[in-house]
Amino acid sequence: MVFDYKKEYKEFYIPKNKPSIVEIPKMNYIAVRGQGNPNDESGDYKNSIGLLYAIAFTIKMSYKGPYKIDGYFEYVVPPLEGFWWQEGIKGMDYNKKDELNFISIIRLPDFVTKKDFDWAILEATNKKNQDFSKVEFLTYDESTCVQCMHIGSYDDEPKTVELMHKYMKDNGYELDITDTRYHHEIYISDPRRCKEERLKTVIRHPIKKGK
């Protein structure tokens, strides 16, 4: 059976639509950094997604070629995710999308090493005749977070965030968004194939124990 991260790690990818506190282990990701409005068809964000998936599927399909990854097993490519921030703003101002910075990411299986990742970059570059120099191997330890499944438009996320922050405070935590800990979204639904009011997005915020 093909391994599906969403099904095997429901606590990370399919939380309930009410807030919860979760410990996120250190994970490795395919990552691309950029800036600007994610709705801009010719912007960094749209371009980053193409780069991410090209590398993700090069690694996923590697078993069909001569390059063999130790410990490889067949799996479903995990969902697209994103870390988001704006300079000088703790949280998100949804009215200032042009000022957004992001790191678009896709989780890597634990068996994928930096060596395997470097092979995939070279393989995709040669096969697609495309520049993948912006794609990086990112190790990230997210640690303690509050999260919730948001259902609906991305622009309606502040309602869910408000519930998350109330839950966080009620349980003795405070927000810990910093230069290295970000507003995090995991896109469970494909907006091209799902009505806006049914979109499922995991929202995750870093937290720490209150003083």
Side-chain angles (χ1 to χ4, degrees):
M1 183 178 290
V2 178
F3 190 91
D4 188 335
Y5 284 85
K6 293 196 302 294
K7 293 179 181 178
E8 297 297 330
Y9 295 101
K10 291 182 179 179
E11 68 272 29
F12 301 148
Y13 300 105
I14 314 292
K16 296 179 180 178
N17 59 341
K18 61 181 181 179
S20 61
I21 292 169
V22 63
E23 287 290 330
I24 310 297
K26 184 184 295 184
M27 299 181 195
N28 295 325
Y29 299 92
I30 310 166
V32 178
R33 300 170 189 265
Q35 296 177 304
N37 190 329
N39 298 319
D40 184 350
E41 287 298 327
S42 60
D44 279 359
Y45 183 69
K46 300 288 185 182
N47 292 332
S48 77
I49 294 173
L51 294 172
L52 286 178
Y53 277 107
I55 301 305
F57 278 97
T58 297
I59 294 170
K60 172 182 167 62
M61 304 307 294
S62 63
Y63 72 98
K64 291 191 173 184
Y67 185 87
K68 303 301 179 185
I69 298 176
D70 289 343
Y72 180 94
F73 54 78
E74 289 192 60
Y75 63 98
V76 177
V77 171
L80 177 68
E81 308 181 40
F83 297 130
W84 298 90
W85 73 95
Q86 293 155 315
E87 300 299 335
I89 297 175
K90 189 172 183 178
M92 290 275 285
D93 186 336
Y94 290 78
N95 295 314
K96 297 181 178 180
K97 293 185 176 67
D98 289 338
E99 298 179 17
L100 284 166
N101 299 280
F102 66 83
I103 309 174
S104 290
I105 56 174
I106 294 177
R107 182 180 180 176
L108 283 167
D110 291 341
F111 58 72
V112 177
T113 66
K114 179 63 165 55
K115 176 186 173 184
D116 300 321
F117 175 85
D118 291 341
W119 165 82
I121 294 291
L122 183 60
E123 180 78 357
T125 299
N126 291 336
K127 281 195 170 183
K128 297 180 179 295
N129 193 26
Q130 187 176 351
D131 182 9
F132 288 93
S133 60
K134 290 183 66 175
V135 186
E136 62 186 273
F137 182 95
L138 176 68
T139 300
Y140 193 77
D141 188 357
E142 200 163 15
S143 192
T144 309
C145 296
V146 61
Q147 69 178 12
C148 187
M149 181 69 82
H150 171 75
I151 299 175
S153 167
Y154 302 129
D155 288 338
D156 289 337
E157 286 182 6
K159 297 176 184 177
T160 298
V161 168
E162 185 178 349
L163 292 175
M164 289 164 53
H165 289 181
K166 182 179 186 307
Y167 181 86
M168 163 192 77
K169 292 176 183 176
D170 289 347
N171 284 272
Y173 290 87
E174 60 186 54
L175 192 63
D176 192 32
I177 288 178
T178 67
D179 290 343
T180 57
R181 303 188 78 198
Y182 312 103
H183 172 97
H184 186 177
E185 298 182 1
I186 305 175
Y187 307 106
I188 305 304
S189 301
D190 185 340
R192 299 169 300 178
R193 302 175 182 175
C194 181
K195 292 183 178 180
E196 187 176 67
E197 63 269 19
R198 294 183 180 177
L199 285 172
K200 291 184 178 180
T201 308
V202 180
I203 303 175
R204 189 181 290 164
H205 277 179
I207 58 176
K208 62 182 179 181
K209 275 290 186 181
K211 297 177 182 179

